[in-house]
Amino acid sequence: MTGGFWSRIDQTGRNMAPLAITAALMLVGMVPLHLPNYAPVAPMLPLMAVYYWVIHRPDLLRPSMAFGLGLLQDLLSGAPLGMTPLIHVLVYWVVLTQRRFFLGTSFAMLWFGFALVAFGAGFVGWLAWSILNLRLLSPNSALMQSTMTVAVFPLFGWLFIRIHRAFLQA
């Protein structure tokens, strides 16, 4: 009987891995590095996690969780409430509709798909900031942030794959 209890505890912990990893990346991404002009171009770490987990385990990272993490990120960072949840939910929906295409493809194809998603998310963020400021802002920061995000995706993708294989596959 105790084996069943510990087995359920173990499975619950494993099932929380995508949410915990996404939350940890959100917090890591908010750590100030004190590098000049780094903050506007810092990679969107939680976006990488949302992308990967929606493709591979959408049952463990639900849209409400992506929304909640985005809202928490906005609250902690001081960004306008709703901007990050909007981006996360849009990414969730877009990736979920294309999930069958990405399952079983090469990492290069996964990376290419992420590049499209990251630049799309950067565009939505830039557009939202422009609307909030009531003027057209320079897209340079959004382009650089998207480029940085795409550039570091292979490192985090490798990490997600390792975690997925170690904890979430039978």
Side-chain angles (χ1 to χ4, degrees), residues 8 18 23 43 50 54-55 57 61 73 77 80 87 89 103 125 131 133 139 141 152 159 169:
R8 284 194 309 269
V50 168
V54 169
I55 291 173
R57 292 303 301 263
L61 187 70
Q73 183 174 346
S77 69
I87 291 170
V89 170
L103 280 175
I131 291 170
N133 286 298
S141 181
V152 298
L159 178 68
Q169 285 185 341

Side-chain angles (χ1 to χ4, degrees), residues 28-44:
V28 166
M30 295 174 69
V31 171
L33 293 181
H34 303 295
L35 297 172
N37 299 321
Y38 174 73
V41 297
M44 299 175 274

Side-chain angles (χ1 to χ4, degrees), residues 25 28-29 33 38 41-49 51-52 107 110-111 114-115 118-119 143-161:
L25 286 176
V28 166
L33 293 181
Y38 174 73
V41 297
M44 299 175 274
L45 300 180
L47 187 74
M48 294 180 213
Y51 175 81
Y52 181 85
F107 184 78
L110 196 68
W111 192 11
F114 179 72
F119 281 102
L143 286 172
M144 283 306 300
Q145 184 178 39
S146 298
T147 303
M148 288 278 291
T149 304
V150 171
V152 298
F153 180 75
L155 173 67
F156 287 94
W158 176 83
L159 178 68
F160 298 146
I161 290 168

Side-chain angles (χ1 to χ4, degrees), residues 12-151:
T12 301
R14 290 172 187 267
N15 289 346
M16 290 178 54
L19 178 64
I21 290 164
T22 308
L25 286 176
M26 176 195 63
L27 295 173
V28 166
M30 295 174 69
V31 171
L33 293 181
H34 303 295
L35 297 172
N37 299 321
Y38 174 73
V41 297
M44 299 175 274
L45 300 180
L47 187 74
M48 294 180 213
V50 168
Y51 175 81
Y52 181 85
W53 295 118
V54 169
I55 291 173
H56 295 284
R57 292 303 301 263
D59 57 321
L60 300 181
L61 187 70
R62 307 300 302 164
S64 58
M65 295 174 183
F67 180 87
L69 286 172
L71 191 61
L72 181 61
Q73 183 174 346
D74 283 352
L75 287 169
L76 294 175
S77 69
L81 285 180
M83 187 175 302
T84 308
L86 168 71
I87 291 170
H88 284 184
V89 170
L90 283 173
V91 165
Y92 194 101
W93 176 77
V94 167
V95 174
L96 192 63
T97 62
Q98 301 303 312
R99 180 175 182 260
R100 289 181 59 202
F101 173 76
F102 287 115
L103 280 175
T105 63
S106 67
F107 184 78
M109 209 52 188
L110 196 68
W111 192 11
F112 176 73
F114 179 72
L116 294 176
V117 166
F119 281 102
F123 174 76
V124 169
W126 167 78
L127 186 62
W129 276 107
S130 292
I131 291 170
L132 284 172
N133 286 298
L134 300 175
R135 64 184 180 92
L136 206 56
L137 300 174
S138 170
N140 293 344
S141 181
L143 286 172
M144 283 306 300
Q145 184 178 39
S146 298
T147 303
M148 288 278 291
T149 304
V150 171

